[in-house]
Amino acid sequence: MNGAMRFKVIGTLATTGVLAMTGSAAMACVPGPGGSSGYTCTGGLVPSGTYSNLKVTGQCGVADGATITVRGNVWVASNATFDAQSAPATITVGGDVTAGSGSLLGLGCQPAELVGNSAHPCETNPTGHSTISVKGNVTAFKASVVLLNGVTVRGNVAVLGGGSPVIPWSIKNNNVGRNITVAGQNTEWIGVMFNKVGRNVLLYDIALSDPDPGAPGVFIVKNTIQRNLICYRLTPGVSGGFAPGSVNVVGGSALGQCASLV
């Protein structure tokens, strides 16, 4: 899929989500069972505030310029949406972010001029950027879509199973303290690009279905990895991107299909 079409697909998804979120006053974030400082969002925009935990069970997003602090964990239920990649916001999570099967998890957006690469522009404010940090881990189990862009994660990023036939996945411009693992997807496209990773990057058992791939394969481009880059059973293969010198810096070993991408 070419870049313009890829952003068009994501933009359509974001616009549709915002319309759904703002079109009904009945869909709103309400106090959750964890107490007055815990929130459950059944639909709409998560308001600025400080919460003990955040549970997302409907189609939820964040407002442009929102400031949200979650002292504990963020949980996105099966088939729910947490869209924090369409509007720039400041989000701080003291624990983990976990997304269930069929969900959409989108965190972070930024303009290309901020990061010096293809970036992931904010749909509602193309010149804005998010500041999102997670003290624990980000984990998605059989999610429909995962979009992580410009996020600081002190622990691990693990994206296991899932996929979408029409929505591309992006994991780029993140700063991850430990490991990135992406495995078991049957999806349209995946890019793991421009990340700084404190330990290892492992990708395996990924099958792409992009009908117009350009440079075919899982994009693994210009990551800085302190330990190892390991890739196995990726179809139709791997790609270092289009720009000359789009290789990865690896402190340890590059193994499997990624051996040539250093």
Side-chain angles (χ1 to χ4, degrees):
M1 174 179 279
N2 62 51
M5 181 60 70
R6 178 165 293 109
F7 284 121
K8 182 178 179 181
V9 170
I10 295 174
T12 300
L13 171 71
T15 302
T16 302
V18 170
L19 289 173
M21 291 169 194
T22 58
S24 171
M27 298 177 65
C29 295
V30 298
S36 59
S37 61
Y39 252 75
T40 295
C41 184
T42 60
L45 300 178
V46 178
S48 295
T50 298
Y51 310 117
S52 58
N53 294 286
L54 174 61
K55 181 178 180 180
V56 177
T57 61
Q59 308 303 301
C60 300
V62 298
D64 192 337
T67 299
I68 298 167
T69 299
V70 181
R71 294 194 178 112
N73 303 313
V74 175
W75 179 60
V76 184
S78 296
N79 302 312
T81 292
F82 186 42
D83 180 1
Q85 56 87 43
S86 294
T90 299
I91 302 175
T92 304
V93 180
D96 301 323
V97 176
T98 304
S101 63
S103 65
L104 184 151
L105 175 63
L107 299 177
C109 54
Q110 66 281 120
E113 54 267 27
L114 180 68
V115 293
N117 55 53
S118 61
H120 184 88
C122 305
E123 180 72 15
T124 65
N125 181 357
T127 62
H129 69 90
S130 302
T131 302
I132 299 179
S133 63
V134 179
K135 188 173 183 179
N137 305 307
V138 175
T139 308
F141 298 101
K142 298 183 179 180
S144 177
V145 181
V146 175
L147 306 168
L148 304 177
N149 300 285
V151 181
T152 297
V153 181
R154 290 194 189 180
N156 302 294
V157 170
V159 181
L160 309 174
S164 166
V166 295
I167 305 297
W169 291 27
S170 63
I171 300 174
K172 60 183 179 180
N173 291 306
N174 302 295
N175 194 330
V176 178
R178 301 185 73 180
N179 305 293
I180 293 178
T181 302
V182 183
Q185 284 75 35
N186 284 279
T187 196
E188 199 257 9
W189 185 88
I190 291 179
V192 179
M193 304 182 289
F194 316 119
N195 300 290
K196 295 181 180 180
V197 184
R199 294 190 181 180
N200 306 292
V201 173
L202 172 62
L203 302 102
Y204 64 94
D205 284 340
I206 299 172
L208 303 185
S209 59
D210 189 347
D212 182 25
V218 179
F219 270 46
I220 305 167
V221 181
K222 287 191 174 180
N223 300 286
T224 301
I225 303 164
Q226 293 299 314
R227 295 188 183 178
N228 305 304
L229 172 60
I230 305 167
C231 306
Y232 288 102
R233 297 198 294 271
L234 308 183
T235 58
V238 298
S239 174
F242 295 101
S246 295
V247 296
N248 302 277
V249 176
V250 177
S253 300
L255 303 174
Q257 290 168 281
C258 287
S260 62
L261 297 182
V262 294

